[in-house]
Amino acid sequence: NAGVMQNPRHLVRRRGQEARLRCSPMKGHSHVYWYRQLPEEGLKFMVYLQKENIIDESGMPKERFSAEFPKEGPSILRIQQVVRGDSAAYFCASSNPGEQYFGPGTRLTVT
Amino acid sequence: QQQVKQSPQSLIVQKGGIPIINCAYENTAFDYFPWYQQFPGKGPALLIAIRPDVSEKKEGRFTISFNKSAKQFSLHIMDSQPGDSATYFCAAKGALSGNTGKLIFGQGTTLQVKP
């Protein structure tokens, strides 16, 4: 039973570049949540998606950030024109719904 | 109103001790309170969870105590072991308007269990 998969595990981008983070939910799960964890802080909710729909994006910054969960394929969190403040660990979690199971995260470093 | 406040920020105990981590919330619409354990470089893993209709829940060496009137809940780790050294997060979710199941996390507690 594969758990939640995220890739890449580590991503380095220069300021101004784009970052694409991918999340494959657990088999049978159709709900995906994205959270961001800044150094020495707890996780902050960003966005909640179901297949082909954004349900709640109340935690997403208004600019540069977008998310999708297409009918086929993984969920994508996209950050355009990255800045140093975007450096963080980004976790996705999936559910069916109910319990949320987290992936190992993508650690984004902006240089 | 959607905050969950967690304390202490860090905790050091000897092997066999009983570390206690506390969380407090304000929003009475929360109805599900999980605890997550996170090791360095890993994602959070669900440890134990409770709903407000019970005051205590035990799973192995982990116990949640829940005080609905005080809007507080805590995690106790019995007979702690060095392998329990990790960061622990409390969280909450519930029937807020437009409930979407998103988790509201506490700030985390870094636990070190000394051999």
Side-chain angles (χ1 to χ4, degrees):
Chain A
N1 260 342
V4 179
M5 295 170 60
Q6 290 188 249
N7 64 81
R9 295 293 309 276
H10 299 273
L11 182 61
V12 179
R13 285 287 177 266
R14 292 198 180 110
R15 280 180 296 170
Q17 290 185 321
E18 178 180 286
R20 281 187 180 233
L21 289 62
R22 287 176 288 277
C23 169
S24 296
M26 286 180 69
K27 186 176 180 180
H29 286 191
S30 59
H31 300 243
V32 167
Y33 298 79
W34 285 93
Y35 295 85
R36 176 164 64 176
Q37 184 176 34
L38 294 170
E40 309 301 324
E41 292 188 16
L43 289 83
K44 304 291 186 187
F45 168 78
M46 299 182 75
V47 62
Y48 163 47
L49 310 101
Q50 295 179 20
K51 284 285 188 181
E52 298 185 280
N53 287 302
I54 297 174
I55 307 302
D56 181 357
E57 55 182 349
S58 59
M60 286 275 272
K62 298 298 180 194
E63 298 178 350
R64 301 188 297 108
F65 285 72
S66 62
E68 63 177 10
F69 190 14
K71 187 176 180 181
E72 301 290 337
S75 175
I76 306 286
L77 179 68
R78 181 181 177 205
I79 311 172
Q80 294 178 291
Q81 299 175 340
V82 296
V83 301
R84 288 210 172 118
D86 297 332
S87 294
Y90 292 82
F91 293 95
C92 78
S94 73
S95 71
N96 195 28
E99 304 292 352
Q100 292 182 30
Y101 295 87
F102 283 79
T106 293
R107 279 148 186 85
L108 172 66
T109 302
V110 179
T111 61
Chain B
Q1 201 180 17
Q2 290 200 33
Q3 281 188 328
V4 176
K5 295 183 179 180
Q6 182 172 348
S7 63
Q9 186 175 359
S10 62
L11 191 54
I12 301 174
V13 299
Q14 293 293 134
K15 178 183 174 182
I18 306 176
I20 301 173
I21 304 171
N22 301 297
C23 285
Y25 64 97
E26 295 181 358
N27 194 322
T28 55
F30 288 143
D31 63 2
Y32 175 74
F33 302 88
W35 284 89
Y36 285 83
Q37 180 187 56
Q38 185 180 31
F39 292 105
K42 306 292 185 182
L46 180 64
L47 201 56
I48 185 173
I50 197 168
R51 294 196 181 273
D53 52 346
V54 297
S55 59
E56 186 176 274
K57 183 175 181 179
K58 291 183 181 180
E59 286 188 5
R61 295 185 294 108
F62 300 94
T63 299
I64 300 179
S65 297
F66 189 86
N67 186 329
K68 188 174 181 179
S69 60
K71 292 186 282 187
Q72 295 176 348
F73 59 108
S74 59
L75 176 70
H76 302 232
I77 305 176
M78 306 302 176
D79 187 28
S80 59
Q81 302 296 313
D84 296 329
S85 297
T87 300
Y88 293 81
F89 293 97
C90 63
K93 72 173 181 177
L96 305 173
S97 59
N99 174 42
T100 59
K102 63 186 178 187
L103 290 166
I104 309 298
F105 281 88
Q107 298 88 337
T109 296
T110 301
L111 171 66
Q112 182 183 356
V113 181
K114 291 190 171 182

